[in-house]
Amino acid sequence: MGMAAADLQFHVLAVDDSLIDRKLIERLFKISSCQVTTVDSGSKALEFLGLQQEHDDQNNPNQPCVSPSNQREVEVNLIITDYCMPGMTGYDLLKKIKESSSLRNIPVVIMSSENVPSRISRCLEEGAEEFFLKPVRLSDVNKLRPHMMKTKCKSHKQEELEIIVTEEKQESIEIAHVVPSQPQKETDTVQQQQQQSQANSNNNKRKAMEENLSPDRTRPRFSSLTTAV
């Protein structure tokens, strides 16, 4: 099943505490025909995604968590986040996303102005798709399109699967309403056969009684009496 052109527009969530870097990322992705949402912290990113942010609230264990029904209604095809941010780092955000059963399939890209090999390796091992050095360029953004396409394909396959499951359930319901009528027909047939058998049995008994009482069977006795006299 093909996807409409409107469905091919990707939605990117950009996370950076620098206003200049957020504007740059937004402009680059819009050049690539993407819808962009920008936030300035990891906690706001989690809020947008519908996840309860616990990094800054560890001293408040009674704060309720967000249930799956309250999670995001807007589809996000890619998250790109700065590594160094106050409060929650990009690495912390990456870990929380990958720990979420509903969000772990969203591609996450880390960007940083510092080229630290150990930092890069740690992010890639945790599940980041790419690690870009700032400033991010248009060529870097173009590399991300295949990653975003995967989420679109998975989303459409899931929708098709849900449609198929719904249709199968509907067919099962319809069959369930039809099937009970069949045993009734079989019961009626059995009852008719029993009634016919009973009627035949009664007829046979009636015939037998009539034969025992017929003149032909009583006549020989009178004949023998006459001969004796």
Side-chain angles (χ1 to χ4, degrees):
M1 188 179 293
M3 291 184 288
D7 294 334
L8 289 175
Q9 186 181 38
F10 303 111
H11 183 201
V12 178
L13 175 62
V15 188
D16 202 314
D17 60 315
S18 168
L19 177 60
I20 295 175
D21 288 337
R22 287 200 307 273
K23 291 295 184 182
L24 173 61
I25 290 296
E26 183 177 10
R27 185 167 66 87
L28 291 175
F29 276 101
K30 285 188 175 181
I31 291 174
S32 298
S33 300
C34 295
Q35 177 186 352
V36 184
T37 298
T38 61
V39 293
D40 60 5
S41 67
S43 59
K44 288 184 180 179
L46 290 179
E47 182 180 355
F48 178 81
L49 294 169
L51 287 179
Q52 176 61 39
Q53 193 280 114
E54 299 177 354
H55 185 78
D56 295 329
D57 302 311
Q58 293 178 352
N59 295 325
N60 187 12
N62 296 324
Q63 186 169 348
C65 293
V66 176
S67 63
S69 61
N70 292 330
Q71 289 185 357
R72 75 191 191 286
E73 297 180 358
V74 179
E75 181 183 19
V76 175
N77 306 112
L78 180 79
I79 300 170
I80 183 167
T81 177
D82 184 26
Y83 185 92
C84 294
M85 294 184 294
M88 178 183 292
T89 67
Y91 177 75
D92 294 330
L93 176 60
L94 169 67
K95 287 183 62 177
K96 288 189 176 294
I97 291 171
K98 294 306 177 183
E99 289 170 356
S100 168
S101 60
S102 60
L103 301 177
R104 64 165 61 107
N105 291 326
I106 300 177
V108 179
V109 175
I110 307 293
M111 52 186 175
S112 176
S113 57
E114 299 176 353
N115 186 2
V116 181
S118 60
R119 179 183 296 175
I120 296 173
S121 299
R122 186 168 62 157
C123 291
L124 294 177
E125 289 173 0
E126 191 63 37
E129 300 293 339
E130 301 283 352
F131 194 107
F132 292 151
L133 292 176
K134 292 182 177 181
V136 176
R137 295 165 299 201
L138 185 59
S139 58
D140 294 326
V141 171
N142 291 336
K143 292 179 184 178
L144 302 178
R145 198 168 188 84
H147 298 303
M148 293 187 285
M149 182 65 74
K150 290 179 184 178
T151 61
K152 278 290 185 182
C153 293
K154 288 181 181 179
S155 176
H156 280 267
K157 286 182 180 179
Q158 182 65 27
E159 289 176 0
E160 292 176 1
L161 180 61
E162 290 175 355
I163 292 173
I164 292 173
V165 170
T166 302
E167 291 176 350
E168 289 178 350
K169 287 182 179 179
Q170 184 64 34
E171 290 177 359
S172 299
I173 293 172
E174 292 175 356
I175 291 173
H177 286 296
V178 174
V179 167
S181 63
Q182 294 179 353
Q184 183 63 38
K185 291 182 179 179
E186 294 177 358
T187 302
D188 293 343
T189 302
V190 171
Q191 289 177 349
Q192 290 175 359
Q193 291 176 348
Q194 290 176 345
Q195 291 173 357
Q196 184 65 35
S197 176
Q198 183 67 31
N200 292 338
S201 177
N202 292 337
N203 289 336
N204 291 336
K205 289 180 180 179
R206 190 181 298 110
K207 287 181 180 180
M209 293 175 65
E210 289 175 353
E211 288 178 357
N212 290 333
L213 297 175
S214 66
D216 292 338
R217 288 187 175 272
T218 58
R219 198 172 293 146
R221 273 188 277 174
F222 288 107
S223 176
S224 60
L225 290 173
T226 304
T227 302
V229 173

